[in-house]
Amino acid sequence: MTRGSSHHDHIIKTLLGRPATAATFLRERLPPEIVALMTPELPVLLPGSFIDSDQRDSHTDLLYRIGLRTGRSALAQVLIEHDGRRRPTSAVLSKLLRYIALTGEDHIASGGKPPLPPVIPLVICHGTKPWAEPPDYSGLYDVGPELAPFVPKFAYTVFDMRTTVDEDLSRDPFLRFGLAVIKLARGTRAFRSRLLALASDEVYRDDRIVQLFIYMINVYTDLDRPTLDMLTAPLSKEERDEVATMAQRLYADGKADGRVEGKAEGKAEGRAELLLDILEYRFGPIPNEVRMRIACADPGSITSMVRRAMEAKTLDQALNPQKG
């Protein structure tokens, strides 16, 4: 369902690059005992990256300075893993150990003095595999008490998007919607209904909403034009025009069903599901007799109903052209 990891990198930084959103995210995802130590000040996103150039297709990193009630500060190292298929066993934890060391080196190189600020690693798992690493780096080793002092040891926190219920992604409506957009890019035929369930007026008031739809255009391989039109309907005309301009290069001009060029879209079953999603979103629960009618309809009729459903004022108008 996805096309390229650079788009994941960009949208993560769009979401979490804003201090207020980052503060919400960190307070929701860091351990409670760490959150209790944090001051009310917003986290500061530090410049730069510790990701090697050959790893940037599969990882994104963000480093925040957070104030502590002790009067000192700590560093929250957020590592986003985009694709578990590329990850050898325990490679991510080895990267975290390296990044912790590099942050210490960077602190000293920039004129800082000991004690070093502690680093709190937070992994966002956006891969295709469930997270199955040990909860502490020392768990990678099998040693007795004699060698234990020589084994690196650090704890980390995991936010596994794959196993998190959509509604639990965040308490903040826009962050919840944005994380769901990223999560569902990994592939699910129910993405339309799930995103619509999270879309609220507050979501559409955020000035980053257009970037989320541009991300979907570039990443979702089964996003068709009627679905895009349905999701972007609450935007202002200027915002819709911006999204439409970006969509032009992916949607074939003049195709009645709005299919993406070069894809195997258009199966009757997929169009029927799209139609039901649109009808339910606009008119509420769909009667069983209507579901049966759609299930038995030919692809051409379903395509016509999809187009009408976007503008119809009633369910009857959407299903019957003569009622328009």
Side-chain angles (χ1 to χ4, degrees):
M1 188 171 176
T2 57
R3 285 194 175 93
S5 295
S6 62
H7 299 298
H8 301 314
D9 180 278
H10 175 75
I11 202 63
I12 283 285
K13 291 178 178 177
T14 297
L15 282 179
L16 300 182
R18 192 165 291 184
T21 308
T24 298
F25 178 78
L26 293 174
R27 290 183 177 278
E28 290 179 341
R29 295 301 163 188
L30 289 178
E33 56 271 24
I34 301 298
V35 174
L37 287 175
M38 295 170 59
T39 61
E41 285 76 22
L42 295 177
V44 176
L45 178 61
L46 300 179
S49 170
F50 294 105
I51 300 291
D52 295 331
S53 59
D54 62 342
Q55 296 292 322
R56 288 177 184 165
D57 281 345
S58 56
H59 295 89
T60 299
D61 66 329
L62 297 167
L63 185 65
Y64 301 95
R65 181 186 295 114
I66 54 177
L68 301 178
R69 297 186 185 277
T70 60
R72 295 183 175 176
S73 62
L75 300 177
Q77 175 79 51
V78 180
L79 177 69
I80 302 94
E81 181 204 25
H82 298 309
D83 194 344
R85 292 172 298 182
R86 300 181 184 180
R87 169 172 52 86
T89 303
S90 307
V92 173
L93 298 194
S94 297
K95 287 183 175 63
L96 285 178
L97 178 60
R98 179 169 177 268
Y99 301 154
I100 291 173
L102 287 173
T103 56
E105 293 177 9
D106 188 66
H107 174 81
I108 294 174
S110 60
K113 297 180 180 180
L116 300 178
V119 178
I120 307 164
L122 169 58
V123 176
I124 302 177
C125 182
H126 180 227
T128 55
K129 298 178 181 179
W131 187 260
E133 307 296 356
D136 188 285
Y137 187 83
S138 61
L140 299 178
Y141 296 82
D142 182 14
V143 297
E146 300 82 6
L147 293 176
F150 301 95
V151 170
K153 178 179 175 65
F154 68 86
Y156 65 99
T157 299
V158 174
F159 170 38
D160 193 341
M161 297 177 68
R162 185 177 180 272
T163 58
T164 303
V165 177
D166 296 345
E167 289 73 16
D168 293 340
L169 290 169
S170 176
R171 292 187 294 272
D172 177 82
F174 182 76
L175 181 57
R176 180 171 60 242
F177 184 81
L179 291 172
V181 166
I182 297 170
K183 169 188 173 182
L184 297 176
R186 281 300 172 204
T188 172
R189 298 183 66 179
F191 78 92
R192 289 184 296 266
S193 57
R194 290 169 67 174
L195 289 180
L196 285 170
L198 300 178
S200 63
D201 291 342
E202 190 170 354
V203 168
Y204 285 96
R205 284 196 295 268
D206 195 288
D207 60 2
R208 292 167 290 180
I209 185 65
V210 169
Q211 295 302 313
L212 286 177
F213 289 124
I214 291 175
Y215 168 81
M216 291 180 68
I217 291 168
N218 282 289
V219 172
Y220 282 47
T221 57
D222 49 359
L223 175 67
D224 53 34
R225 191 56 181 267
T227 298
L228 183 62
D229 289 343
M230 177 175 59
L231 288 170
T232 59
L235 297 177
S236 68
K237 181 181 183 304
E238 292 75 14
E239 291 171 326
R240 289 197 306 272
D241 289 345
E242 183 177 353
V243 174
T245 298
M246 293 298 298
Q248 288 305 312
R249 64 186 180 85
L250 293 177
Y251 295 107
D253 294 335
K255 291 205 174 177
D257 57 359
R259 292 177 292 177
V260 176
E261 289 183 288
K263 291 171 25 190
E265 290 286 353
K267 290 184 178 180
E269 182 181 355
R271 288 200 297 268
E273 288 182 358
L274 169 61
L275 175 59
L276 288 170
D277 282 343
I278 296 174
L279 293 176
E280 191 165 21
Y281 173 65
R282 299 207 62 211
F283 307 114
I286 306 302
N288 287 335
E289 58 268 24
V290 172
R291 292 181 177 273
M292 292 182 63
R293 174 181 170 183
I294 292 172
C296 297
D298 62 86
S301 297
I302 293 177
T303 295
S304 297
M305 284 188 277
V306 166
R307 293 199 302 269
R308 291 198 303 274
M310 298 301 300
E311 303 293 338
K313 292 183 174 59
T314 66
L315 178 61
D316 196 27
Q317 285 182 357
L319 298 175
N320 301 289
Q322 64 273 24
K323 298 294 181 67

